Each structure stands twice: as structure tokens, then as C-alpha cells.
Amino acid sequence: MSIPTPTQGLAPQLDPYALAADLSGKHLIGGRLVASASGKTFDVINPAKGEVMGRAAFGEAADVDAAVAAAVEAGMMWKALPARERGRLVAECGRLLTAHTEELARLVALETGKALRTESRVEAGVLADAFTFYGGLGGELKGETVPFNPKMLTLTVREPLGVVGAIIPWNVPMMLMALKIAPALVAGNTVVVKSAEEAPFAVLRACQIMAQVLPAGVLNILSGFGPECGAPLVAHPKVAKVTFTGSVETGRIVSRTAADKLIPVTLELGGKSPMIVMGDADLNQAVAGAITGMRFTRQGQSCTAASRIFVHDSLHDAFVTALKAKVDAMVMGDPLDETTDIGTIVSPQQFDRVQGYIAEGKRTPGATAHECSALPTEAGLAKGLYVRPVIFTGMTNDSRLAREEIFGPVTCVIRFTDYEDVINQANDSEFGLAATIWTRDLKTALDATQRLQAGLVQVNQNLVVQPNLSYGGVKSSGLGKEATLEAMLEHFTHKKTIMLNMA
Ligand code: NAI
Ligand code: MG
């Protein structure tokens, strides 16, 4: 089986405005940048300046048909390649993406408003790492032999599912795309991605970079909105599997369509992750953990955000003072500026939504809003979607702010005295994505890790998602796991049983 030779090497382009202009109006279908069948486009906003930075192709059913057809055609050849050869090409994608880290970081910073130094560069690194990680796992697509009958050779093999539809959000678009497409491709599937309307360019550029080594049609990406582009992708009869990250509401819609088609679906949805700080915790470590856990540098736009922080009565006031001081010291500014810690909210819709929660919190009897840091003063950022981080105290776990996913820089610090009570409060949530507990007591730590209802429980740390750590939630936080070898085997292959009768 011959593999097409890579197209001309793309040189890194560090000017994100120039890149956005180049990519405007394009999908990537069958290895080529193409316009929508209708020729329609939509504006993409730079949320730090409130300016149009480019126009993305407006994908619709006709574009979905073209992309799925390309993926079906490429699938025959792709699945026939030796698994380690697919892995080698995916690892090569990782190498190329590494060479483009800075350009991708700048582009994603421009379209999402995420600060370059603290967020966007980190994301671009994880993107490349996910391809490197999965690229090494081709040889692990193993089956088993089954001791069924000595006269029969009975074995299982892992087969790809076919065309995978991947729908991704805007908050960490490159990383979340990578956790879907890298395992799907290594397992022998071909992929059609639907990017988020707020952040279509960095993921398109990443796919264009990978198209230099992947055979045409193996990886396709469309930009567009949910109802016009996402829905026909999920509903397409040739799409054999859907993997989705986004809101619970949209996850339910996607899941219903998948149920009608009887195809498997993986869902990574929201969270309201509890962080429990016991009275014996190291205060400084816990405060630093709240900063990373709450993703203040990403304006709290994370499904894992530690947005319910339960602090023992004995530490509560010192914790709030120290946390506020740390967030106050963070610099809000232009996402592309190296001195900026905190950028903007992604879109006017999210901005209004977050402001709505903050206003409601301020009206809540007994609650106090501690507003932190300071809005940038540069004239060019006057229309930027900046929101000062807010720490609410005096809020109870049954308030809307403590129950619903805000996806903004808003956290509730809730005072507790009793351990049993705090475990019950932590578990009293629709969600179950992640949880942390901060204590020096081994018995408490062990007990909490067993009782907290979440896909990921950490003690005395709040590390972020990365390859080789199983990631995914329970309850309304989703179905299925991502980021590991098992995720590739369970979510992107099916096990075929083969019996050879030699009697
Ligand atoms: P969303 O779930 O509507 O969007 C996520 C993706 O789904 C986007 O690509 C969107 O175009 C697509 N989509 C929307 N409707 C669809 C449909 N009917 N069929 C197929 N695809 C569809 O999330 P949105 O509107 O961006 O944000 C709303 C809230 O969702 C946020 O405030 C946050 O609470 C949550 N969210 C959670 C994320 C996570 O990482 N778990 C990521 C993004 C949002
Ligand atoms: Mg939506």
C-alpha cells in the first residue's frame, strides 16, 4: 500500500491576522482547502478588540456530505495500512505540530481571547503531545485468543468503526480535537470534525498542517454552527460514531440522534467540580491549587473548573484573603501580550451569560462578591470582553451559582465544619467530572477519594488534563473516557470474534 507523499512543507506563520485571512472561507475536505458549497461565510470575532478577524466557511448539509464522502473513500485505504504505520503518520503529525506550536498558540489566542503565555501556548503543546502519545500506540490495537475449543482457533481482532464525526467546543479547541482525532485515526477510522463557531481557525490550521502527512480524506474539518452543520454530521447515515465535547443541553440532542441511528457516542459535558480544603491543609498549596483548579487564567472557561470551593471554617477567612490577593496580582490584558495572565471571555453570548450569573450572585441575600484584579485600561481593549474574576462567599451549595456551570471566572467559596456534611454537599450536584481534596491526613484523603463522585479525584493538587490520564465524567458530565489507550480501544474500535473450525 503506497502512501501519498507529503505536499509542500508549510512554513510557520507567526502573524495570526495573516493566517486568519488565508484560512478565511475554507473547510478542509479531501486534503484540500475548499469553500462551502453555498459560498456562505460568517464573521469570527477577536474578543479582545471586538473586531472581525476573519470570516469562516459556513458549513451546511452539502458540505457535510462532501466531507463524509471523502472520509468514506479514504477509509478503505487507511484501515488497510498496518496499525503501526498509521501510528507513525500520526506521530509525524505530532512532530509537525510541534514545529508550529508558536503560530497555533498565537492564532488560538487571537480567536478565543486566551492569554498566550498562560494558556494558548500550553494548549498548543498538549495538542502536539496528544499526537505523539497516540502515535506510539498503533501496536496496542491487539486482540485475544480465546480457549473456546482446542479444535477451533478462536480469536478477537480490533476493527475501526468507520467514519467518526467529532464535534468540538471553543474553550480548548485544539486539545479537545486532538483527544478525539488522534486515537480515532490510529485505530483506523477516518474523521470529519465540526469546529466551534467561535474558534474555527486554529483547529483548521492544525488540520491543514497534518494534511501534509495524512492521506487525503483521512482527516476533514468543517466550520459552521450547530443546527446547520453539527446536526447533519451527527445524522449522516455514513457516520458510524460521534464524539462530542460541549454543553449538557447539546450533548442530549447529539445523543438522541445517535440513539435513533443506534451508533455509539462519547460525550464530554459540563462540570461543577468541588474542591474541599480540610482544616489541616497547607493553606498556600491549597490557594495555588484553587488558582489552577479554577482556571482563572482561562477566565474559568473550563468544564473541570473548581467552581465550588468548600473551605473548613478554621481556614475559610485566611483562604479567601489569600486567594483574593493572588487573583488581584494577576494581570488582565491583551491575550497576545507576554505579560498578560488573564485574557477575555470568548464571545458576547458567553459574556452576557457570565454577567447574568454575577448579577444574580450580587443580589443573593447573605452572599458577598469579591471582585478581583483590574480591567485593562489600554484604549485598544475598550471593547474587549473582559470580566473581573469574582469570588463569592456566603453562598450556599443549593444556590444557582453553586449548581449550574457558569463557564466564567466565578467561584463560590463555601464554609463548612463537618467532614460528612461536606462530602454530601460535594456529591450533591448534577455533575461528576472532577474533584479535589486538600488534607495532610491519609485516612481522610483515602476515604474522600473513594466517596467523591467524579471521573478524576486528586489529593493536594489540581493538575490539568493530559495524555495517558483517563478523563471523563459520571452523572451529567458525560459518557465515556478520553486520553488513554483504553479510550482508543473502547471508543474507536469494535471487537470482532473470529472462529476457525479445523476439526
Ligand atoms: P454547545 O454545546 O452548544 O457547543 C459545542 C459544540 O456543539 C459547538 O461546536 C456547536 O456548534 C455544536 N453544536 C451546537 N448545537 C448542536 C447541534 N444541535 N448538533 C450538533 N452540534 C451542535 O456549547 P456553547 O453554546 O458553546 O456553550 C454553552 C455552554 O456549554 C457553556 O457556557 C458551558 O457551560 C458549556 N460548555 C462546556 C464545554 C466543555 O468543555 N464541557 C465546552 C463548551 C461549552
Ligand atoms: Mg450552544
Side-chain angles (χ1 to χ4, degrees):
M1 182 67 57
S2 71
I3 301 162
T5 44
T7 50
Q8 288 303 308
L10 289 173
Q13 165 57 275
L14 292 179
D15 176 357
Y17 291 95
L19 259 186
D22 282 353
L23 297 168
S24 275
K26 298 294 196 304
H27 306 292
L28 182 91
I29 300 177
R32 293 190 312 122
L33 290 179
V34 294
S36 283
S38 67
K40 283 201 271 183
T41 58
F42 62 93
D43 288 348
V44 179
I45 308 293
N46 160 12
K49 303 242 161 105
E51 293 166 358
V52 176
M53 61 174 275
R55 297 179 64 78
F58 188 99
E60 291 175 289
D63 308 299
V64 170
D65 287 347
V68 174
V72 169
E73 198 187 329
M76 302 299 286
M77 176 272 222
W78 184 243
K79 76 174 182 191
L81 286 180
R84 285 197 59 206
E85 180 59 13
R86 287 194 302 266
R88 190 188 67 73
L89 292 170
V90 167
E92 180 63 11
C93 289
R95 199 189 62 75
L96 282 181
L97 291 168
T98 302
H100 287 262
T101 304
E102 188 62 18
E103 112 185 345
L104 290 167
R106 295 176 69 81
L107 187 55
V108 87
L110 190 68
E111 66 187 352
T112 63
K114 293 195 302 180
L116 181 61
R117 192 190 87 251
T118 56
E119 286 289 336
S120 296
R121 218 173 257 142
V122 180
E123 185 192 351
V126 180
L127 164 78
D129 188 34
F131 285 89
T132 308
F133 170 74
Y134 275 112
L137 296 182
E140 296 301 318
L141 289 152
K142 295 169 188 161
E144 304 139 330
T145 53
V146 184
F148 182 70
N149 177 333
K151 297 208 167 57
M152 268 178 225
L153 176 59
T154 303
L155 56 118
T156 63
V157 292
R158 291 279 180 182
E159 289 194 343
L161 301 173
V163 177
V164 171
I167 297 181
I168 56 172
W170 44 263
N171 57 331
V172 223
M174 299 190 294
M175 178 186 94
L176 296 173
M177 176 176 80
L179 295 182
K180 299 181 184 320
I181 67 182
L185 293 176
V186 172
N189 305 280
T190 54
V191 180
V192 178
V193 181
K194 206 291 280 173
S195 60
E197 51 272 31
E198 298 83 354
F201 290 130
V203 285
L204 173 58
R205 177 65 171 175
C207 290
Q208 186 195 21
I209 292 164
M210 291 189 270
Q212 295 175 101
V213 288
L214 297 174
V218 164
L219 173 61
N220 310 274
I221 181 164
L222 305 170
S223 49
F225 290 78
E228 294 86 353
C229 190
L233 177 60
V234 179
H236 197 290
K238 293 272 171 59
V239 169
K241 152 93 198 186
V242 172
T243 170
F244 170 83
T245 298
S247 64
V248 176
E249 187 191 6
T250 304
R252 288 206 172 97
I253 297 173
V254 165
S255 192
R256 273 195 286 269
T257 308
D260 280 344
K261 287 172 63 184
L262 295 173
I263 60 164
V265 55
T266 307
L267 302 172
E268 205 269 272
L269 309 175
K272 196 74 198 177
S273 299
M275 164 169 178
I276 301 173
V277 183
M278 300 298 293
D280 68 342
D282 180 311
L283 181 68
N284 290 333
Q285 276 182 21
V287 169
I291 300 278
T292 24
M294 224 345 259
R295 312 280 191 274
F296 279 111
T297 49
R298 201 191 296 157
Q299 287 283 37
Q301 299 171 123
S302 164
C303 43
T304 339
S307 48
R308 290 186 297 150
I309 308 183
F310 297 94
V311 184
H312 189 267
D313 182 47
S314 59
L315 281 185
H316 178 278
D317 295 354
F319 180 93
V320 172
T321 304
L323 181 61
K324 174 153 181 12
K326 266 208 181 303
V327 186
D328 278 339
M330 296 172 88
V331 176
M332 297 178 75
D334 188 334
L336 288 171
D337 189 329
E338 294 288 342
T339 61
T340 297
D341 297 308
I342 303 179
T344 70
I345 300 285
V346 74
S347 67
Q349 292 87 324
Q350 288 297 120
F351 184 84
D352 291 346
R353 195 185 136 106
V354 171
Q355 296 287 20
Y357 279 107
I358 294 174
E360 176 170 335
K362 287 179 174 170
R363 290 194 303 267
T364 305
T368 307
H370 306 264
E371 288 178 283
C372 306
S373 188
L375 297 176
T377 50
E378 293 142 70
L381 304 177
K383 289 193 188 138
L385 302 175
Y386 292 92
V387 172
R388 291 180 69 195
V390 189
I391 303 164
F392 277 101
T393 53
M395 196 68 84
T396 57
N397 192 46
D398 49 22
S399 64
R400 218 164 68 92
L401 268 74
R403 303 201 77 78
E404 297 180 8
E405 182 174 56
I406 300 175
F407 234 65
V410 182
T411 193
C412 298
V413 177
I414 301 171
R415 192 188 292 269
F416 78 92
T417 47
D418 178 60
Y419 172 70
E420 290 296 320
D421 172 54
V422 81
I423 292 287
N424 288 335
Q425 288 196 65
N427 286 338
D428 179 13
S429 169
E430 178 195 357
F431 299 108
L433 194 50
T436 61
I437 178 150
W438 302 73
T439 177
R440 293 187 174 106
D441 181 53
L442 193 54
K443 197 164 154 244
T444 307
L446 196 57
D447 184 72
T449 57
Q450 290 168 19
R451 288 170 63 190
L452 287 169
Q453 297 164 355
L456 170 66
V457 181
Q458 301 183 68
V459 178
N460 296 333
Q461 65 171 24
N462 224 329
L463 294 186
V464 298
V465 184
Q466 47 200 297
N468 211 27
L469 280 182
S470 181
Y471 187 68
V474 295
K475 303 199 271 187
S476 296
S477 290
L479 278 180
K481 305 285 166 173
E482 298 194 298
T484 60
L485 169 63
E486 287 71 30
M488 173 172 81
L489 298 175
E490 285 169 26
H491 299 303
F492 295 109
T493 72
H494 78 94
K495 196 188 257 189
K496 177 187 271 182
T497 302
I498 297 175
M499 304 175 89
L500 289 95
N501 188 337
M502 295 165 298

